[in-house]
Amino acid sequence: MRTRMLALTSAACGAALLGAAALPASATGPGPAPGPEPATATAATAAELLAEVRACARISKGTYRTDSGSAKATVPVCGTEDAVFWKADMDIDCDGRKTKACNRKTDPYFLPETAFQSSRGEPLDSAALPYVVVPGPSKVWDHRKSGLTGGSVVAVVYRDRVRYGVIGDTGPTNIIGEASYAMAKALGIDPDPATGGAASGVTYIAFKNSRVSPIESRVRAQSRGAALAREFVGRS
């Protein structure tokens, strides 16, 4: 939920694909590094998902900046019958539960809470839970009116990789393009909250009315996300 600075996204990342690792039923700590999602014959590919979001039917009343230092607001929020999407950069959200990876020393903008809480009423663990940050509700766009809330399932596409997570936090009302430390790491993006992130090339697809519970369950987000993605590309 911090106000992001342009310097935080100046480093575009190309980390190698992570090794395979089993996903826990819920994210309770950083644990092992997340690896590629299991491949199946019916899995929606990055290319298939991107083909479905080539054209933008804008639903936002204006556009967003990607950073507080951006000269112009250029990113619209677009909609389809089943999803909302935007194409931006990725800044690293390290807010919430204090961990070795996310704290005031590693992140100068660290906040000890997230807009949405775990099933235990605690801040989310950005180092363990792949999640996306949406702009706070404003006249430009209110995610709640698009059938989205904390726990709504999202697919994030970066290069040839697709990873699933949830909406887990809100950010400034005029900035878009941010995800958790864990989401960046899963995509092979440098998750360092001070110097990491991706300068461009990230597509966020949030599925309407798709909330999973508990919000911290990575397994449920992955399973629901994979199913929704297959439907989205016509492979249900």
Side-chain angles (χ1 to χ4, degrees):
M1 298 196 307
R2 56 190 168 82
T3 301
R4 297 164 293 163
M5 302 301 292
L6 185 59
L8 296 181
T9 56
S10 59
C13 308
L17 275 171
L18 303 170
L23 298 180
S26 64
T28 57
E37 306 296 350
T40 67
T42 58
T45 66
E48 288 176 320
L49 286 168
L50 292 176
E52 294 297 320
V53 296
R54 282 179 297 189
C56 174
R58 194 168 85 178
I59 61 173
S60 59
K61 295 182 179 180
T63 52
Y64 289 93
R65 300 176 187 274
T66 55
D67 298 283
S68 60
S70 298
K72 296 181 179 180
T74 60
V75 180
V77 176
C78 313
T80 72
E81 182 178 352
D82 302 311
V84 170
F85 67 91
W86 57 95
K87 302 176 183 181
D89 63 342
M90 181 181 285
D91 293 325
I92 309 302
D93 184 37
C94 223
D95 294 338
R97 180 180 175 185
K98 183 179 178 181
T99 62
K100 183 178 179 180
C102 294
N103 55 69
R104 294 188 187 281
K105 291 183 179 180
T106 61
D107 182 1
Y109 299 99
F110 176 79
L111 293 174
E113 66 272 342
T114 49
F116 305 106
Q117 297 181 324
S118 74
S119 59
R120 298 177 296 276
E122 300 170 347
L124 299 180
D125 186 345
S126 56
L129 180 65
Y131 68 72
V132 165
V133 181
V134 293
S138 71
K139 293 181 180 179
V140 176
W141 178 56
D142 185 340
H143 62 273
R144 299 169 299 184
K145 295 181 179 179
S146 296
L148 304 178
T149 187
S152 292
V153 178
V154 295
V156 185
V157 183
Y158 180 66
R159 297 180 177 174
D160 62 347
R161 304 165 196 170
V162 181
R163 297 293 183 266
Y164 300 102
V166 294
I167 291 176
D169 203 358
T170 60
T173 58
N174 62 339
I175 296 174
I176 204 166
E178 187 174 8
S180 69
Y181 182 105
M183 178 62 82
K185 191 171 184 179
L187 286 163
I189 294 172
D190 181 359
D192 189 296
T195 61
S200 62
V202 184
T203 300
Y204 304 81
I205 304 171
F207 298 104
K208 298 177 180 178
N209 304 309
S210 63
R211 183 176 181 272
V212 295
S213 182
I215 189 174
E216 66 268 22
S217 175
R218 292 176 59 173
V219 168
R220 293 187 182 184
Q222 159 63 28
S223 176
R224 185 77 187 280
L228 289 168
R230 287 194 297 269
E231 294 177 10
F232 191 62
V233 302
R235 296 179 66 183
S236 57

